[in-house]
Amino acid sequence: MLDKLSGPRIESADLYDWDELVQEDRVHRLIYTDPAIFQAEMTNIFGAVWVYLGHESQIPKNDDYITVRLGLRPIILLRDGNGKIRALFNRCTHRGTTLCRKEKGNARIFTCPYHGWSYLNTGKLRAVPWPDGYACDFKDAKFNVAQVPRVDSYRGFIFATLNPDAPSLLDYLGAITKPIDEWLDRQPNGKVAVCEANRLKFKGNWKLAYDNSGDGYHVVFSHRSLLEMENRQADVANKGMSYYRGSPDTKPMYMAYMGNGHHFKDKRPNIQKRAGGLWAVEGPAPGSEHYQEELRRRFGARAEDILDLASSEPVNINVFPNFSLLGNHIQVFEPVSVDETNVTWYGTAVVDDDGALGGAVDEINALRMRTQEQFPNFGEVDDLANFEEIQRGLACLEDEWIYMHRGLGIPGRVKIDEHGIITAPATDEAFMREYIKEWKRLMKASPNLAVQREV
Ligand code: FES
Ligand SMILES: [Fe+2]
């Protein structure tokens, strides 16, 4: 049963003149600071479009669950007894308390801690204590847990939307599926398993992180200490993101805007195309040297391919509004309030179902995990510090505008191909201007969100 929303609502379209707030070359500070805009985003963005919730490898068995968020809505993402993936609102239909307070587990039944109503993991109400105190019919579907009506996966990545009118997930992802496919297809069997995570938070608006996720302009300035650390003991000073040094716009890397708010920073053309090319630019992980020595001893020439599997792929694949693939990590942006955001970096592991890696899978994954010590630990904190300082700077009420016009108006610099994909040199802000146009389009809309209940 599809439950269309019937209560009062504030129309985001009426809040502001959105064309005034988002212009061709600049945006108004309010889009990062206004609580009313943030509230509207929880419907018009984190509700109306496909939002990343989790990965299938986090709920591998029937009845497995994890607790996540869709915007601010607490969600139990689970695989029911028939293997169907569902995103249940983590909310008791009686008085609204959360049903499940654990991060993950395996359960066929969720029992509300408040008054003991219990539900099957299909969302159906199973029993209420002392039902003879009620005159109603508990078979009425309105007592079943609300769930997100559309949940779909793309090659293991699970997305959900409350918008019955949204395009299919495949259409929504569109051209960004190509780099996602390439990211997956370099892994054995084209898949990964999601591991534990670095959990970080910053006092700033979630869009600051999404703006930055394709920003090639800041790297040598903001991440100078990381670049110096990675290269301090290297024989050749080409580790990590060294290719941003000098004049980055003359390097073969580029930014691309892929439609529907998705953007892509492709730094792979900077890397030598040879076995071991990726591993050669990986920064040092002191204490792990014996792993690579052992792999080289056991596998000879093949060790270089194996070591590449442990390396980070130099891409930023950003799926609007909350998901990035970068290095060999998954980054998830989670809005908390207008000026607070969680960013979670999940490690990913290689899976060797058919033994093609000759028993090296544990060593690969051990080395791969150590890559967390490069950008995720020592680079991301630079970015978060910037985001917090932007939010502080935006408290200057009278200085209203934020500029994103790098590359705008220079003939021939920004290119568009026959599929509408926009490319520009690595430091351009074209991706920012394009995604924020899409954001504006969505903020002007009046999506008809709905929840599903079992019948
Ligand atoms: S709020 Fe869940 S049983 Fe009362
Ligand atoms: Fe950065």
Side-chain angles (χ1 to χ4, degrees), residues 151-436:
V151 181
D152 201 357
S153 297
Y154 183 73
R155 296 192 62 179
F157 300 113
I158 306 167
F159 294 80
T161 178
L162 292 155
N163 184 0
D165 306 318
S168 70
L169 175 62
L170 205 56
D171 285 346
Y172 177 68
L173 294 174
I176 201 83
T177 54
K178 183 166 181 280
I180 294 175
D181 288 346
E182 289 165 358
W183 189 91
L184 283 168
D185 290 339
R186 88 177 187 96
Q187 324 286 345
N189 305 303
K191 64 178 182 184
V192 292
V194 170
C195 312
E196 254 311 329
N198 278 348
R199 293 163 203 277
L200 303 149
K201 53 173 70 221
F202 66 92
K203 289 197 170 73
N205 187 265
W206 67 275
K207 293 189 292 304
L208 297 172
Y210 198 74
D211 292 349
N212 180 74
S213 56
D215 184 322
Y217 197 19
H218 74 292
V219 176
V220 288
F221 308 102
S222 294
H223 301 304
R224 197 179 70 193
S225 61
L226 170 66
L227 285 173
E228 286 179 3
M229 180 192 79
E230 286 175 318
N231 286 287
R232 197 174 295 142
Q233 283 148 1
D235 306 330
V236 186
N238 67 347
K239 303 289 186 192
M241 296 186 291
S242 294
Y243 38 71
Y244 276 108
R245 287 173 162 159
S247 48
D249 284 348
T250 62
K251 308 281 167 68
M253 61 181 162
Y254 60 95
M255 58 119 285
Y257 178 73
M258 317 289 277
N260 292 340
H262 316 317
H263 48 76
F264 175 38
K265 174 60 61 64
D266 189 4
K267 299 165 288 190
R268 296 171 303 182
N270 296 336
I271 306 297
Q272 285 183 359
K273 274 205 173 46
R274 63 172 173 89
L278 275 181
W279 183 250
V281 297
E282 200 58 63
S288 70
E289 296 82 357
H290 64 286
Y291 279 95
Q292 54 169 312
E293 283 158 21
E294 172 68 8
L295 287 169
R296 289 207 162 103
R297 192 185 60 74
R298 270 166 51 199
F299 292 96
R302 198 184 153 212
E304 300 308 314
D305 284 321
I306 285 178
L307 287 166
D308 279 345
L309 284 177
S311 313
S312 303
E313 192 173 34
V315 291
N316 303 56
I317 302 165
N318 305 309
V319 178
F320 186 75
N322 72 329
F323 172 82
S324 281
L325 288 177
L326 65 177
N328 50 39
H329 303 93
I330 296 168
Q331 187 184 19
V332 183
F333 312 115
E334 191 180 80
V336 177
S337 66
V338 68
D339 55 4
E340 193 176 358
T341 306
N342 295 333
V343 282
T344 309
W345 288 70
Y346 293 92
T348 63
V350 165
V351 187
D352 191 18
D353 290 337
D354 53 7
L357 294 175
V361 67
D362 289 343
E363 284 89 344
I364 292 169
N365 284 331
L367 284 173
R368 197 171 159 112
M369 202 51 65
R370 296 289 303 268
T371 66
Q372 293 264 10
E373 294 164 33
Q374 312 294 326
F375 191 84
N377 270 290
F378 289 101
E380 180 66 6
V381 286
D382 301 328
D383 291 327
L384 301 193
N386 284 335
F387 307 157
E388 293 199 343
E389 294 303 321
I390 297 172
Q391 199 76 29
R392 289 185 64 215
L394 295 183
C396 297
L397 301 179
E398 296 75 16
D399 201 356
E400 298 171 286
W401 299 102
I402 291 130
Y403 289 91
M404 36 181 78
H405 66 307
R406 186 171 167 78
L408 185 67
I410 300 177
R413 189 173 160 104
V414 178
K415 299 189 170 64
I416 179 160
D417 76 6
E418 69 272 23
H419 307 293
I421 292 173
I422 294 167
T423 53
T427 69
D428 264 47
E429 291 168 338
F431 73 91
M432 240 184 265
R433 296 190 290 277
E434 294 302 325
Y435 107 75
I436 212 74

Side-chain angles (χ1 to χ4, degrees), residues 91-99 111-119 129 134:
R91 181 205 187 278
C92 182
T93 54
H94 177 215
R95 297 259 291 279
T97 188
T98 57
L99 288 169
T111 302
C112 179
Y114 198 176
H115 314 93
W117 287 26
S118 66
Y119 303 85
Y134 280 104

